[in-house]
Amino acid sequence: MTTPGNAEHGLRLIPFHGLRYVPERVGSLAAVTSPPYDVVVRPDGVDYLESADPHNIVRLILPQAETPAARNEQAARTLRDWLTEGVLSDDPQPALYVYEQRRPGLLQRGIIGALALSPAEAGVVLPHEDVMPDVVTDRAGLMRATSANLEPLLLTYRGDGPGTGAAAVVEDTAAREPLLSTVTEDGFRHSLWAVTDPGQVAVITADLAHRQALIADGHHRWATYLRLQEEHGPATPWDFGLVLLVDTARYPLQVRAIHRMLRRLPLSEALAKVEGSFRVRPVQGPLPLALEALADASERGNAFLLGGDGSFHLVTDPDPALIERTVRRDRPEAWRRLDATVLHASLLDALWQIPDAPDHITYIHDAAATVAMAERHGGTAVLLHPVREEVVRDLARQGVTMPRKSTSFGPKPATGLVLRSLD
């Protein structure tokens, strides 16, 4: 996206000394990587990753201890130990990094670097979702304790074409032998190259200086970057944050939904409370078949798929009077019609009266995992259909944020391939 005229500047991406695993000190690079912290389903996912390798990055991004302070201190101590033991090491030259994710039928490339931070009103980096303050506080404590950016955010921009500017450097670099290459369990091959040539760095920098970016994944970490920048004052390494920038003119992202698991609301009670305000009807399983029914219903308006006791139910056609009463009117109509808007305002707040707190609502990216967790806890799985990317961009350009956890852009960068120390 080209930067609007009222922005003071465009994207400012600078090289940094990447902090990377030393291959000889770990079982394999694949075994020490992890999905982003909010994609790991606790506690099963954490336990699985910790058992994959004693140095798996999950021990830094999701440390396990009784209190937040103890968790943060544990992560800081672990990071110090790994640096002392030579498990992690700084690259000798500052670099921008070309990062590739590849599997059959999908190829994505982008640039990892340290991006100058800017508030949303500057119009340079556009958020599209609200954030939960307690999550920002949690991530801020972890970053403060470790003094590191442990995983890159996913940002998108729109370049001019494959033969010029940053896109040309990305493609030329990807034709070389990579610094590292590994295949993770999901079938993705991850490859990383360092761009250290001053001329190539200058080409990337000049191209991005005219661009505007959309936060695709990492709103809470971006809000954390801004909070810590304010704490540390100007002209420090905290003025920058670790990001992956993907040119979606070249590599369009996939957009998926993020689902909700309501721990304390049994499915029977959830269904009883929406009767009369929504249309409710049972749909056939198994889950893939029920999700097809959700996709069909979403073409005609707001639709949600509820599960949790082995059955599935479509909840559609909200009462217009309920929408008018519960959904705020000071937003564009496209925002008022979003499934996530109706879910939070009309269902969670008005009909179910469930607070948006971690002990009530768990946000999960995988539909099957959401249903399985609901069945295990006797709760309700609320499955959503993804919103279209153009809707996200249009609202972001208007300065309108969507309800938190409305979208999941991907593929997301693997955590653990390159970190950024702030010391």
Side-chain angles (χ1 to χ4, degrees):
M1 291 184 287
T2 302
T3 306
N6 64 350
E8 296 177 4
H9 51 78
L11 300 170
R12 183 182 171 213
L13 193 72
I14 65 169
F16 67 103
H17 291 271
L19 185 60
R20 297 192 295 113
Y21 280 100
V22 177
E24 295 77 18
R25 298 304 307 273
V26 297
S28 74
L29 288 174
V32 295
T33 63
S34 162
Y37 80 97
D38 58 339
V39 180
V40 179
V41 180
R42 300 186 194 217
D44 303 357
V46 174
D47 294 342
Y48 178 77
L49 289 165
E50 284 188 344
S51 66
D53 188 284
H55 301 107
N56 189 283
I57 193 70
V58 78
R59 295 178 185 274
L60 299 183
I61 63 171
L62 288 172
Q64 300 300 294
E66 290 300 317
T67 67
R71 288 196 294 270
N72 295 335
E73 175 50 37
Q74 179 174 301
R77 186 170 57 250
T78 300
L79 179 57
R80 288 195 301 269
D81 290 346
W82 290 357
L83 289 167
T84 302
E85 296 163 7
V87 174
L88 290 167
S89 177
D90 279 316
D91 282 338
Q93 286 183 276
L96 298 175
Y97 295 86
V98 170
Y99 173 51
E100 177 186 281
Q101 293 158 277
R102 179 194 291 268
R103 72 178 179 192
L106 196 152
L107 172 65
Q108 180 172 289
R109 291 174 179 152
I111 305 167
I112 294 175
L115 183 67
L117 306 179
S118 60
E121 54 267 24
V124 177
V125 176
L126 302 177
H128 72 267
E129 287 185 357
D130 295 333
V131 297
M132 294 176 277
D134 58 311
V135 177
V136 176
T137 298
D138 174 73
R139 291 294 100 184
L142 182 65
M143 280 190 213
R144 202 181 287 117
T146 57
S147 193
N149 298 154
L150 300 172
E151 45 187 343
L153 283 62
L154 176 60
L155 273 61
T156 71
Y157 72 100
R158 296 191 68 80
D160 296 328
T164 61
V169 176
V170 167
E171 300 308 313
D172 289 347
T173 302
R176 305 198 313 254
E177 190 71 21
L179 274 179
L180 64 88
S181 188
T182 190
V183 179
T184 46
E185 277 192 348
D186 56 7
F188 272 102
R189 175 171 290 279
H190 305 264
S191 302
L192 195 73
W193 294 261
V195 179
T196 57
D197 177 79
Q200 290 186 316
V201 170
V203 169
I204 293 172
T205 301
D207 186 359
L208 295 178
H210 305 287
R211 308 292 176 193
Q212 178 188 60
L214 175 75
I215 301 176
D217 186 71
H219 284 81
H220 289 91
R221 284 167 285 163
W222 182 258
T224 301
Y225 287 169
L226 293 173
R227 179 184 292 188
L228 294 175
Q229 179 191 34
E230 187 175 349
E231 285 182 14
H232 285 81
T236 74
W238 298 88
D239 286 336
F240 297 81
L242 185 65
V243 305
L244 166 65
L245 278 164
V246 174
D247 177 1
T248 52
R250 183 93 172 106
Y251 299 106
L253 270 64
Q254 301 172 331
V255 187
R256 302 184 189 279
I258 301 177
H259 312 292
R260 278 74 169 153
M261 199 284 287
L262 312 180
R263 290 179 173 273
R264 302 184 182 182
L265 182 69
L267 179 59
S268 58
E269 187 178 333
L271 294 171
K273 288 184 174 181
V274 300
E275 286 283 0
S277 298
F278 285 79
R279 181 188 177 200
V280 181
R281 58 189 173 94
V283 294
Q284 286 291 109
L287 179 59
L289 192 63
L291 287 171
E292 288 181 15
L294 173 63
D296 291 341
S298 294
E299 294 292 324
R300 299 184 292 276
N302 296 120
F304 310 94
L305 181 67
L306 272 56
D309 64 357
S311 64
F312 297 103
H313 304 262
L314 267 181
V315 174
T316 61
D317 303 292
D319 180 354
L322 174 69
I323 300 300
E324 193 63 22
R325 187 175 76 251
T326 58
V327 177
R328 56 191 294 180
R329 301 185 184 93
D330 61 344
R331 295 292 178 93
E333 193 61 26
W335 184 91
R336 300 186 79 241
R337 292 197 306 264
L338 290 170
D339 285 339
T341 298
V342 174
L343 171 61
H344 281 265
S346 304
L347 285 168
L348 292 169
D349 292 351
L351 298 181
W352 291 333
Q353 296 182 342
I354 294 178
D356 195 354
D359 57 338
H360 287 272
I361 304 176
T362 302
Y363 293 84
I364 307 175
H365 291 71
D366 181 75
T370 309
V371 172
M373 186 176 286
E375 292 176 351
R376 194 161 62 243
H377 289 277
T380 296
V382 183
L383 308 182
L384 288 81
H385 189 66
V387 65
R388 298 192 315 278
E389 183 177 356
E390 56 266 29
V391 173
V392 177
R393 290 188 183 280
D394 287 346
L395 288 172
R397 287 193 181 104
Q398 296 175 60
V400 177
T401 53
M402 300 168 67
R404 46 188 166 268
K405 299 294 182 181
S406 293
T407 60
S408 175
F409 282 84
K412 304 178 191 304
T415 298
L417 295 178
V418 61
L419 291 62
R420 175 176 174 254
S421 173
L422 292 156
D423 287 334

